[in-house]
Amino acid sequence: MTPEDFAALLTPEGRALLDSLRDYDPAQELAVATRLRREHPAGLVSAALGQARLRQRAVAKFGAEDAFRMFFTPGGGEMATRAPVASYRAERLAGLGVRSVADLCCGIGGDALALARRGIRVLAVDLDPLTVAVARANAEALGLADLIEVREADVTAVDVSSYDAVFIDPARRGGRGRIFDPEAYSPPLSWAVGTARAARYAAIKIAPGIPHEAVPAEAEAEWISDHGDVKEAVLWFGTAPGTVRATLLPGPVGLRTAEPLPDPEAGPVGRWLYEPDGAVIRAHLVAEVAEQLGGRLIDPTIAYITADELRATPYATAYEITDVLPFGLKKLKALLREREVGVLTVKKRGSAIEPEELRRKVKPAGPNAATVFLTRVAGAPTMLIGGPAA
């Protein structure tokens, strides 16, 4: 989509056309396009159909009410912060007393929108002309244009000294997909850290796979999950240097410490198995959860906690284990057939077997359900069979 195509969508004709496509079925696109081109320019129809598809995909990230009013670029929707995560971060910044934020590498404006909804004034900066146009249109569409200034500029040349905080979301995708080297981000992580150090408060959004040793000593590192899926990591400056935090949404609920516990001991599998939330694992806070649960690891290298009694925790999902077996497809298939298991949930950690491959081989059938964990116990490939705690 070109800036000209996007501008056409903002005309009364373009907006009306786009609104009419809210519930259209992409499988019927050819027929819909043929019908619409009888009344509208072909270029406008193509742009509207593309935008309608992007809005439908964005519902999962932004919710229907916002998604069907917003505008997206193909890559911008994928890279934008999920709305609950952006809202949580905006709430945290507001709690620090922040009233103005320079949002550098703002993309389509997801974080800027969340900040403005907390009454925070935002300078949203991006270098790409189309992205800037989309971010500006989103601020207007959601009635937040008075609080959001969108500027087309090189973020490395913007003076942010007058803002209470800086939020930086470097581009982590290139022509070949995801970028894993932080110095290959655009702009590089080293530039972002230098800018953050000069600010009163700062937050840098990074990939959740960042090694802990790459976290600057003066930063707080936070890993955030939403409904169990790890979404991002954030380096905070001006808050709690050296602290690591796992935040679970919705809630939020969180664990934090400046002095992580040593890894817990491993021991025999008990009646209960706990699967820690991904943010807890990424933050290296499994030991803290194990201590709360009175548990132990099933293997020194595996982030499953086991215990002999059931305790409630928001930081892990509990399962009751009925069988502990050496890995073997024949044994598993026979057990599932005996128990008439047709609904099989497969989880793995420390196993090379893929869940779909296992399902094809054991061919579960029957009215009952079970969960199988493919993992290691004391170094040996093992199958743990059970189900979610009641």
Side-chain angles (χ1 to χ4, degrees):
M1 180 171 60
T2 67
E4 292 73 24
D5 291 333
F6 181 66
L9 287 177
L10 301 181
T11 64
E13 180 184 10
R15 290 178 183 273
L17 178 57
L18 191 51
D19 287 344
S20 74
L21 292 170
R22 174 174 174 140
D23 299 318
Y24 104 102
D25 181 359
Q28 304 297 319
E29 182 166 323
L30 181 58
V32 173
T34 301
R35 174 175 56 81
L36 292 176
R37 283 170 183 157
R38 298 183 189 128
E39 302 175 3
H40 304 281
L44 177 59
V45 170
S46 178
L49 288 169
Q51 192 62 219
R53 289 194 301 272
L54 294 174
R55 282 182 165 184
Q56 290 178 354
R57 292 174 195 158
V59 168
K61 183 172 282 191
F62 289 94
E65 184 177 351
D66 283 353
F68 285 112
R69 292 189 290 163
M70 292 172 65
F71 298 90
F72 303 92
T73 62
E78 292 181 12
M79 292 184 287
T81 302
R82 182 175 288 265
V85 179
S87 295
Y88 159 74
R89 183 164 38 243
E91 190 71 29
R92 189 170 176 197
L93 285 166
L96 293 170
V98 168
R99 305 305 302 158
S100 63
V101 172
D103 179 2
L104 307 182
C105 310
C106 69
I108 63 166
D111 280 280
L113 297 171
L115 290 164
R117 279 177 163 163
R118 284 297 285 110
I120 296 172
R121 180 171 57 87
V122 184
L123 169 65
V125 184
D126 206 283
L127 186 59
D128 178 66
L130 175 59
T131 300
V132 167
V134 170
R136 187 174 290 122
N138 284 335
E140 293 172 355
L142 299 188
L144 298 168
D146 289 347
L147 283 169
I148 302 174
E149 174 194 349
V150 184
R151 186 184 303 175
E152 180 185 335
D154 180 345
V155 297
T156 64
V158 176
D159 180 7
V160 298
S161 59
S162 63
Y163 292 84
D164 295 340
V166 175
F167 173 64
I168 309 172
D169 184 4
R172 296 179 300 283
R173 289 179 182 266
R176 297 182 179 178
R178 292 185 182 274
I179 297 171
F180 296 98
D181 177 7
E183 284 308 294
Y185 292 174
S186 180
L189 182 59
S190 57
W191 176 87
V193 169
T195 301
R197 284 172 173 155
R200 180 184 174 196
Y201 294 111
I204 305 173
K205 179 179 170 181
I206 53 175
I210 186 171
H212 279 232
E213 55 269 24
V215 175
E218 68 271 41
E220 172 193 348
E222 179 179 31
W223 282 262
I224 303 173
S225 67
D226 183 28
H227 290 89
D229 293 330
V230 182
K231 295 303 178 184
E232 62 183 59
V234 184
L235 300 181
W236 291 89
F237 292 77
T239 54
T243 297
V244 292
R245 181 192 294 250
T247 298
L248 284 59
L249 303 176
V253 295
L255 282 174
R256 56 173 289 185
T257 183
E259 297 182 5
L261 295 173
D263 291 340
E265 296 293 325
V269 178
R271 178 178 176 182
W272 305 99
L273 185 77
Y274 295 87
E275 181 181 28
D277 184 274
V280 170
I281 296 173
R282 293 283 193 177
H284 295 181
L285 294 175
V286 173
E288 280 70 15
V289 176
E291 182 179 63
Q292 291 179 11
L293 296 171
R296 55 197 176 268
L297 297 181
I298 64 170
D299 184 279
T301 64
I302 302 295
Y304 282 137
I305 300 167
T306 188
D308 301 313
E309 64 180 64
L310 179 63
R311 296 184 186 177
T313 176
Y315 305 116
T317 303
Y319 296 84
E320 185 173 15
I321 299 302
T322 57
D323 300 88
V324 181
L325 301 171
F327 178 79
L329 291 177
K330 289 184 178 179
K331 293 179 183 178
L332 179 61
K333 189 173 182 178
L335 184 146
L336 297 177
R337 184 171 56 248
E338 176 187 338
R339 297 182 184 174
E340 298 183 299
V341 172
V343 180
L344 182 65
T345 300
V346 182
K347 292 178 171 288
K348 55 169 277 185
R349 188 163 291 158
S351 172
I353 301 295
E354 291 300 326
E356 288 306 317
E357 177 186 357
L358 182 130
R359 286 193 190 90
R360 285 196 302 270
K361 290 182 176 179
V362 301
K363 300 176 181 178
N368 299 320
T371 301
V372 59
F373 294 85
L374 305 177
T375 187
R376 291 194 303 272
V377 174
T382 303
M383 303 181 298
L384 309 179
I385 296 94

